[in-house]
Amino acid sequence: MAGDQVRNKQVILRDFVEGFPKESDMYIVTGTVRLAVPEGSTAVLVKNLYLSCDPYMRNCMSNLLGSYIESFKPGSPISGHGVCKVIDSGHPKFKKGDLVWGMTGWEEYSLITAPETLFKIEHTDVPLSYYTGLLGMAGMSAYAGFFKVCSPKKGETVFISAASGAVGQLVGQFAKLTGCYVVGSAGSKEKVDLLKNKFKFDDAFNYKEEPDLNVALKRYFPDGIDIYFQNVGGKMLDEVLLNMKSHGRIAACGMILQYNLEQPEPVYNLTQIIAKQIRMEGFVAFEFYPQYPEYLEMVLPQIREGKIVYVEDIAEGIESGPAARIGLFSGKNVGKQVVAVARE
């Protein structure tokens, strides 16, 4: 009942992290929460259903200065994107029972004091968990990075690193639907098979089994790469620069292989950007959130017609959150990593 006190399990950051994060950098506490927003507040109280594990969250575990994102606070719940059900609302835009997605706490219930950042979920004929990925931030990252940053044309060659992840699997499918030739790299045979068989990439390879990435890229792109969707940084980016075509485009979405290194891998071949007139552009998904309705208009029919498929790796229960988070950085997850806190 509204106003009742209920249990609230939370995932807490122990302290700022240097190097590779461990499960023990987070811990679970059980507190209580009142199922009502404070009198006169415009906040909303939500029950968290699904929480999104995203690579950028590793940066938030460090003491960030001058970043576009904020650090988590040691001793407090970590936060991230999630799918939630409104339990009580002091905001005119939201009412009890509404389903929403956006930034929330890693806990069973959250009081969201800036609910204008939330998106109301209008389409429930697709799995709700999709709003942590395909229909959430990951989807917008794929859409913005591929279509808005890279401006693809039919017949172009596209390479995607970390291609079986939450964003990469979508970029590949968008590229195929655009009429491009698409190759992805991933870190296991299972993921390579997924790229070729489930997501219908033209080809894929396991970067861990390639002694020379330059040779591998030349094997798949003998005439060069038009578009590189960049998710890993370091050595892979360095070798891709040697294999880009003139006037190629690189969308810099993430650097997952660099986030845990105290000294990130150097990139030596940047002169290629000048010689080949390559455009490399970093972007963040939330800058494109005003175009979210346009994205839904494009992708929802593709999902319903089976033209876009999405693979999720769902961990059950808030207690599984720390292990799911850490698993991202060892490639343990297959597809989009989600934590299911509650099913309704």
Side-chain angles (χ1 to χ4, degrees):
M1 295 289 292
D4 286 354
Q5 291 268 358
V6 295
R7 181 197 76 182
N8 191 26
K9 286 187 182 176
Q10 302 174 307
V11 178
I12 307 291
L13 179 69
R14 193 177 298 278
D15 204 350
F16 289 129
V17 174
E18 292 181 12
F20 208 94
K22 309 177 295 296
E23 280 184 56
S24 58
D25 292 323
M26 294 163 276
Y27 60 95
I28 309 281
V29 300
T30 302
T32 59
V33 64
R34 186 167 166 265
L35 294 184
V37 298
E39 194 69 40
S41 165
T42 58
V44 297
L45 182 83
V46 299
K47 180 179 184 179
N48 292 312
L49 307 180
Y50 296 97
L51 297 173
S52 174
C53 295
D54 294 298
Y56 81 87
M57 295 167 77
R58 167 60 189 88
N59 295 330
C60 302
M61 297 174 82
S62 299
N63 192 6
L64 296 172
L65 297 170
S67 174
Y68 71 96
I69 48 175
E70 290 183 7
S71 298
F72 298 145
K73 260 173 74 178
S76 295
I78 66 175
S79 59
H81 286 79
V83 173
C84 327
K85 186 175 191 177
V86 176
I87 300 296
D88 190 29
S89 174
H91 195 283
K93 186 180 165 187
F94 301 101
K95 64 182 190 301
K96 182 181 177 182
D98 281 350
L99 292 165
V100 297
W101 75 268
M103 290 299 288
T104 188
W106 270 49
E107 52 193 348
E108 292 177 291
Y109 295 89
S110 294
L111 184 71
I112 298 175
T113 54
E116 39 297 321
T117 62
L118 298 172
F119 292 88
K120 201 180 285 191
I121 294 173
E122 310 282 3
H123 304 277
T124 54
D125 60 327
V126 293
L128 272 183
S129 56
Y130 279 11
Y131 288 92
T132 66
L134 168 54
L135 297 174
M137 186 186 72
M140 281 304 294
S141 297
Y143 176 69
F146 187 60
F147 289 109
K148 305 302 179 182
V149 174
C150 292
S151 306
K153 299 185 218 34
K154 184 179 179 180
E156 289 192 313
T157 57
V158 177
F159 176 54
I160 304 156
S161 51
S164 68
V167 177
Q169 58 173 294
L170 288 175
V171 176
Q173 293 178 83
F174 292 157
K176 285 302 297 174
L177 289 170
T178 307
C180 297
Y181 169 79
V182 184
V183 177
S185 64
S188 73
K189 182 184 184 304
E190 180 187 8
K191 291 177 181 180
V192 167
D193 289 345
L194 199 63
L195 293 175
K196 293 198 280 194
N197 302 324
K198 182 91 174 176
F199 303 133
K200 308 302 181 193
F201 281 47
D202 292 289
D203 221 326
F205 64 92
N206 182 349
Y207 71 91
K208 293 176 182 175
E209 293 181 350
E210 297 292 346
D212 189 325
L213 290 172
N214 185 26
V215 170
L217 291 166
K218 281 184 168 45
R219 185 163 71 240
Y220 294 103
F221 298 99
D223 299 319
I225 300 166
D226 289 301
I227 291 173
Y228 174 40
F229 202 94
Q230 202 295 120
N231 287 315
V232 298
K235 179 73 173 161
M236 181 68 85
L237 173 58
D238 216 18
E239 301 302 331
V240 167
L241 286 168
L242 294 174
N243 288 277
M244 292 296 292
K245 289 185 185 178
S246 289
H247 300 283
R249 287 89 73 205
I250 300 174
C253 180
M255 301 269 177
I256 192 167
L257 294 184
Q258 311 306 307
Y259 293 149
N260 299 311
L261 303 178
E262 289 182 26
Q263 288 293 323
E265 293 176 301
V267 176
Y268 298 101
N269 295 320
L270 288 173
T271 54
Q272 295 292 314
I273 289 178
I274 303 163
K276 294 177 178 174
Q277 301 165 74
I278 297 164
R279 181 167 56 83
M280 181 170 175
E281 185 175 338
F283 71 98
V284 289
F286 63 74
E287 291 281 339
F288 293 88
Y289 279 179
Q291 296 171 43
Y292 182 63
E294 177 189 307
Y295 171 59
L296 285 186
E297 201 174 300
M298 179 196 86
V299 81
L300 281 168
Q302 293 173 335
I303 297 168
R304 290 170 182 142
E305 292 163 24
K307 291 178 179 173
I308 291 284
V309 295
Y310 202 58
V311 171
E312 297 174 305
D313 194 327
I314 298 184
E316 293 291 339
I318 188 104
E319 301 84 356
S320 69
R325 284 276 338 274
I326 301 307
L328 271 187
F329 300 104
S330 57
K332 191 176 165 194
N333 58 301
V334 177
K336 167 67 189 171
Q337 183 66 68
V338 181
V339 176
V341 182
R343 294 286 179 172
E344 58 177 54

